[in-house]
Amino acid sequence: MTKKLIKMNTLHYTWSALTHLFYPHICAGCGSDALPAGSELCLSCIYELPVTDFEVHADNPVEKIFAGRLRVAAAGAHCYFSKKSSIQHLLHQLKYGGNRALGHQLGTIMGTALARSMRFNDVDLIVPMPLFAARERRRGYNQAELLCGGIAAIMGMPVCNTLVYRSESTETQTRKNRVERWINMQGKFRVPVDSVIQNRHLLLVDDVVTTGATLEACGSVLLKIPGVKLSVAVLCFASD
C-alpha cells in the first residue's frame, strides 16, 4: 500500500510539474510563479497595490468630483492610477487581455475594502457600467461586470447587468478634455421602460474614474428611477 501511495504521489507531482511547464500560472502583475492557490496575483503585488483608502473617508477626491454634479451617497476608488505602472498593466490585462479571473479577484479586493468601510453596507444592488453591445461582443465580456462579481462575492449583494444600457457607441475619452468628455457622454445611457426597480440603493461600478463624465451620465439616468439612492465604486482613480 505504501509503495502504491508513493507511486501515485510521484505521478501527481510529475503531472503537476509538466502542466506548470507547458501551461504556467504566473502572476498577472510581475510574472512570478510563486502564487497563492487560486490567485492571479502574488502576495507582493497584492501588498504593493497603490491603495487610496478613499472608501473610508467622506468627501474624498472621488466624491469631490461629483459635488454639485451627481447626487451620490458615497463614492470611492480603491487604487491610484499612474501611467507605466503595475496598476496600468493590470488594467490592460483586465480590459484587453481577457483575464477574467483577474477581474473577479480585483473585485473581491474592492469588495473587502467597501465592506470594511461600513459606508456601503446598505447597498441593495450592484450595477456594472455598461459597454455598448457591439463592443462587449468584440471583447467577449464587460470588465465592470467582472469587478461586480468579485464585489458581490464578498458583500453578498446581487448584481443587475440589465438595469441600464448604453444606447450609442462613443468615441474614446482618452484624448478629450473635461468638457469634451462630458459632451461625448450625454444622452448615451437608457433605463429600459419596463424596469421595476425602485426605492433601492444602487452601487454603480466601473474600472477607472478621471473626470467622472461617464459615471455622471450613467448615474444621472439611474437617479431618475423613483426613490433610487446612488453610490459609486471604481477600481482606479486617475487625476487629470
Side-chain angles (χ1 to χ4, degrees):
M1 178 66 73
T2 303
K3 289 183 178 179
K4 184 177 181 180
L5 182 61
I6 292 173
K7 184 177 180 181
M8 289 175 63
N9 285 338
T10 301
L11 288 172
H12 171 75
Y13 289 128
T14 300
W15 175 252
S16 295
L18 287 171
T19 301
H20 183 75
L21 177 63
F22 292 104
Y23 303 99
H25 182 201
I26 61 174
C27 174
C30 67
S32 167
D33 62 357
L35 295 179
S39 178
E40 295 299 309
L41 296 169
C42 68
L43 293 177
S44 177
C45 284
I46 292 173
Y47 179 77
E48 292 175 1
L49 286 172
V51 174
T52 65
D53 286 326
F54 288 171
E55 298 94 346
V56 179
H57 303 289
D59 202 31
N60 64 63
V62 178
E63 292 186 6
K64 287 180 179 178
I65 288 174
F66 299 118
R69 296 169 50 187
L70 185 69
R71 189 177 72 254
V72 295
H78 189 64
C79 295
Y80 290 104
F81 174 88
S82 58
K83 293 182 178 179
K84 299 181 180 179
S85 66
S86 60
I87 196 68
Q88 184 182 34
H89 176 64
L90 294 179
L91 271 174
H92 191 272
Q93 290 197 55
L94 171 61
K95 294 180 72 168
Y96 310 113
N99 195 336
R100 303 186 187 202
L102 174 63
H104 187 274
Q105 183 171 1
L106 290 171
T108 64
I109 292 171
M110 290 174 65
T112 300
L114 292 169
R116 286 175 178 170
S117 78
M118 303 296 289
R119 299 177 64 230
F120 299 82
N121 286 5
D122 64 338
V123 166
D124 299 305
L125 201 60
I126 306 172
V127 180
M129 174 65 68
L131 289 176
F132 186 58
R135 179 173 294 179
E136 184 170 347
R137 284 195 298 270
R138 288 195 300 270
R139 186 171 295 175
Y141 59 92
N142 176 357
Q143 70 273 9
E145 195 171 331
L146 298 178
L147 295 173
C148 287
I151 294 171
I154 298 297
M155 300 188 74
M157 300 161 184
V159 178
C160 182
N161 59 7
T162 59
L163 180 57
V164 61
Y165 65 95
R166 197 177 296 226
S167 57
E168 298 178 41
S169 181
T170 54
E171 300 174 6
T172 179
Q173 300 275 71
T174 306
R175 294 180 176 84
K176 295 183 183 297
N177 62 35
R178 186 181 297 269
V179 174
E180 289 171 337
R181 290 181 183 215
W182 183 83
I183 294 172
N184 190 42
M185 297 311 304
Q186 293 308 295
K188 301 302 191 296
F189 296 96
R190 298 281 189 276
V191 170
V193 293
D194 59 348
S195 175
V196 294
I197 292 177
Q198 298 182 7
N199 303 310
R200 304 288 185 89
H201 186 179
L202 308 179
L203 179 66
L204 180 59
V205 175
D206 204 0
D207 52 356
V208 182
V209 59
T210 305
T211 66
T214 305
L215 286 158
E216 180 186 358
C218 185
S220 62
V221 171
L222 291 173
L223 284 173
K224 292 179 180 178
I225 302 172
V228 155
K229 179 180 176 182
L230 182 69
S231 289
V232 171
V234 296
L235 176 62
C236 290
F237 171 72
S239 57
D240 285 344

